[in-house]
Amino acid sequence: MSNYKTVFFTLGILQIILGVFMFIPIIVQFAYSEINSSFFGASIVTIIFGTLFFLSNLDHDKKLNLQQAFLLTALSWLSIAIFGSLPFIFSTIELSVTDAFFESMSGITTTGSTIISNLEFTPKGILLWRAILQWLGGIGIIVMAITLMPIMNVGGMQLFKISSNKSSEKILPKSKEIALRLIYIYSVLTIMCAVTYWFFGMSKFDSLTHSMTTIATGGFSNYNQSIGYFNSIPIEIASMIFIILGSVPFIAYIKFINGNKKIFLTDVQIKTFFKIIIITIILLSLYLLLNNSENFNLRSVFFNSISILTGTGYVNSEYDSWGSFPITLFLGLMFIGGCAGSTTCGIKIFRIQILYLFITNQLKKIIYPKGVFVIKYDQNSVDDKFIASIISFIYFYFVIFFVLTALLSLTGLDFITAISGAATSISNVGPGLGPIIGPNGDFSSLPDVSKWILTIGMILGRLELFAILVLFLPSFWRS
């Protein structure tokens, strides 16, 4: 176990940080006269465990090898989800262990699925805690995707280790400095979003919580109707803008600050991201105008397309009543997700781009058998090992999706609930489709075993599959 002292030392620090954040909702409890011991008790328990991990591993060697990086990644999210569920268990809403863990995992993975049916009557402290979990999960995945995932070679993320040009070493500082800059940028965007929401009519509390879940592309709201509750065009426009800002690669912000002023116009992921949004809006608009004109609302088409693609999960209308094509399209968008290095989930746009390049390259080889074709992504040559990593990731993504769908069906769920539940969990979107877990539904009525299956899907999707699956290989644990 001495080999893992750095892992448990780091886990101790994370738990102490989590415990400190638990004190923040106590302020809200005082402000809204909802005083109880739920957050104080949960905070003390979390800090004690964190301190024990911290003190018992002070003699760690301050280095992480590949094996430890995988273990730390998995245990970080799992431990935060476990301790993050304590306020739900201790609170007056009296959630079961299953429901509390589901809500916590949904928060920290920025999924946004909820088991709380009456959000309007939920204590403010709990609502704030849900937002904090998503906010922490958002910055956590950004830092992990840019500092840990590349060295772990997970699903092609090694692309971002070598960057896209020869001057990358000058542009990108060391991991610790990157992490600090990312936290600064993330915090500034959150504050800007909160101020904008407040300016357009949200209360101070709503603007704070919704800004945290917007930048994290998490989608937790304080109301059953989500953003649709406010029925405000300015708020929805602001929401779309900040969702997009949270969905682009955060390393682009660092490059912009360091002098690359055209990065948002030249980045290949960002350009494709906007193309997908535009194509989706056009397709949905044409379909609704021709086949379902009474449901056509350009405002709803814009908002829900961006929300679903990025995995945010905010809604402003019941899009599952638009017809079969929009449902199928949204299901596809759930899988795509946003840009790598952002708060979004899904397969990620860069993998879709490289898969497309690979397929076109194979077609060229069929047409010109003697030709030599080199696959290039953002001016970098892509080797066969890298392609194999991408293809295997996408293959396992869909295999796990079908396994989750089958398991959910075995628990008694209908087809549309099972397939959309599997998609929304592994892609960390939030709402599913159908009357039960659809845009204005929730997951409270699902059997407990279904909820546990969905939480597995959430953490698998959030941690890019292999970061979890590799832990079950016996060869991984051999020295």
Side-chain angles (χ1 to χ4, degrees):
M1 193 61 73
S2 60
N3 293 334
Y4 303 106
K5 281 185 174 291
T6 304
V7 173
F8 292 110
F9 176 84
T10 308
L11 287 178
I13 293 175
L14 292 175
Q15 287 169 17
I16 292 171
I17 292 171
L18 184 70
V20 171
F21 269 93
M22 287 180 185
F23 280 109
I24 299 174
I26 296 176
I27 301 171
V28 173
Q29 286 183 319
F30 275 101
Y32 288 90
S33 301
E34 297 173 348
I35 303 169
N36 59 56
S37 61
S38 57
F39 283 100
F40 182 77
S43 178
I44 296 302
V45 171
T46 303
I47 290 174
I48 287 174
F49 271 91
T51 304
L52 289 174
F53 276 122
F54 177 82
L55 294 177
S56 60
N57 295 282
L58 283 173
D59 57 339
H60 68 104
D61 58 9
K62 299 181 181 179
K63 293 180 181 180
L64 275 179
N65 59 30
L66 188 61
Q67 185 186 60
Q68 292 167 345
F70 276 104
L71 188 62
L72 174 62
T73 300
L75 290 181
S76 295
W77 254 258
L78 187 60
S79 65
I80 291 174
I82 291 171
F83 286 97
S85 68
L86 294 181
F88 298 116
I89 295 173
F90 297 160
S91 73
T92 55
I93 59 175
E94 298 178 345
L95 298 184
S96 66
V97 172
T98 297
D99 287 350
F101 185 73
F102 179 94
E103 196 76 9
S104 180
M105 182 65 80
S106 179
I108 200 64
T109 57
T110 70
T111 302
S113 304
T114 185
I115 48 80
I116 301 176
S117 300
N118 298 308
L119 289 168
E120 287 86 347
F121 302 100
T122 302
K124 300 291 186 184
I126 291 295
L127 294 176
L128 178 58
W129 181 239
R130 294 163 80 242
I132 288 173
L133 280 175
Q134 289 205 326
W135 192 80
L136 292 173
I139 185 58
I141 199 64
I142 294 168
V143 172
M144 186 187 75
I146 293 173
T147 59
L148 277 181
M149 284 290 185
I151 66 170
M152 291 158 64
N153 296 335
V154 173
M157 289 298 288
Q158 58 266 41
L159 174 73
F160 302 98
K161 176 172 61 179
I162 57 176
S163 192
S164 60
N165 55 58
K166 294 179 181 178
S167 61
S168 61
E169 293 301 320
K170 296 179 181 178
I171 293 176
L172 303 181
K174 295 179 180 179
S175 294
K176 187 175 180 181
E177 187 179 344
I178 288 177
L180 291 174
R181 288 193 184 188
L182 291 173
I183 293 170
Y184 170 75
I185 293 166
Y186 189 75
S187 300
V188 169
L189 287 174
T190 305
I191 294 168
M192 289 170 60
C193 184
V195 171
T196 305
Y197 278 153
W198 174 75
F199 179 78
F200 286 133
M202 279 192 188
S203 68
K204 290 178 181 178
F205 180 77
D206 284 341
S207 62
L208 172 64
T209 54
H210 284 86
S211 67
M212 297 171 88
T213 60
T214 298
I215 293 300
T217 60
F220 270 157
S221 178
N222 299 338
Y223 305 96
N224 292 339
Q225 294 175 278
S226 188
I227 289 293
Y229 168 86
F230 300 100
N231 192 25
S232 168
I233 293 176
I235 286 176
E236 289 172 17
I237 292 173
S239 182
M240 286 188 284
I241 291 171
F242 283 101
I243 286 172
I244 289 171
L245 290 176
S247 303
V248 299
F250 269 67
I251 205 71
Y253 290 109
I254 294 178
K255 291 181 178 181
F256 181 83
I257 292 171
N258 281 305
N260 189 349
K261 303 303 181 184
K262 294 183 179 180
I263 184 65
F264 294 105
L265 299 174
T266 59
D267 186 275
V268 289
Q269 272 199 102
I270 296 175
K271 288 193 290 187
T272 301
F273 175 62
F274 279 105
K275 287 177 184 177
I276 293 172
I277 291 174
I278 292 168
I279 291 170
T280 300
I281 291 169
I282 292 172
L283 288 175
L284 278 177
S285 298
L286 288 174
Y287 175 85
L288 291 174
L289 281 171
L290 295 173
N291 299 280
N292 198 351
S293 58
E294 65 272 12
N295 279 325
F296 177 69
N297 184 321
L298 193 59
R299 167 182 165 189
S300 296
V301 170
F302 262 89
F303 187 85
N304 290 289
S305 297
I306 292 171
S307 180
I308 296 299
L309 173 63
T310 59
T312 305
Y314 282 152
V315 296
N316 68 349
S317 64
E318 295 189 29
Y319 53 75
D320 56 353
S321 64
W322 290 357
S324 57
F325 175 72
I327 289 175
T328 306
L329 183 60
F330 279 152
L331 198 62
L333 291 179
M334 286 182 186
F335 290 120
I336 295 173
C339 303
S342 70
T343 60
T344 59
C345 271
I347 293 173
K348 300 289 193 307
I349 285 172
F350 87 95
R351 292 191 182 101
I352 302 295
Q353 291 173 313
I354 291 173
L355 181 64
Y356 170 77
L357 292 172
F358 172 75
I359 293 171
T360 54
N361 193 59
Q362 293 302 110
L363 291 174
K364 288 178 182 177
K365 287 181 179 179
I366 292 173
I367 300 170
Y368 307 104
K370 295 182 179 180
V372 177
F373 304 99
V374 178
I375 298 176
K376 286 193 173 185
Y377 180 78
D378 198 18
Q379 300 179 348
N380 286 323
S381 297
V382 179
D383 59 27
D384 291 340
K385 184 178 179 181
F386 182 83
I387 293 289
S389 178
I390 296 289
I391 293 174
S392 61
F393 177 90
I394 296 174
Y395 170 77
F396 273 106
Y397 197 92
F398 283 106
V399 166
I400 293 170
F401 161 68
F402 285 119
V403 169
L404 289 173
T405 302
L407 291 174
L408 290 171
S409 298
L410 287 173
T411 65
L413 302 185
D414 63 89
F415 176 72
I416 193 68
T417 302
I419 194 170
S420 65
T424 197
S425 66
I426 195 172
S427 300
N428 304 112
V429 174
L433 301 169
I436 301 174
I437 61 172
N440 290 323
D442 60 68
F443 292 70
S444 60
S445 62
L446 301 188
D448 280 359
V449 64
S450 299
K451 294 171 186 172
W452 284 106
I453 292 169
L454 290 169
T455 56
I456 292 171
M458 290 176 199
I459 194 168
L460 281 171
R462 182 76 277 185
L463 300 184
E464 307 274 322
L465 307 184
F466 293 128
I468 296 292
L469 296 179
V470 72
L471 300 178
F472 294 93
L473 292 176
S475 57
F476 173 80
W477 299 99
R478 296 188 192 123
S479 299

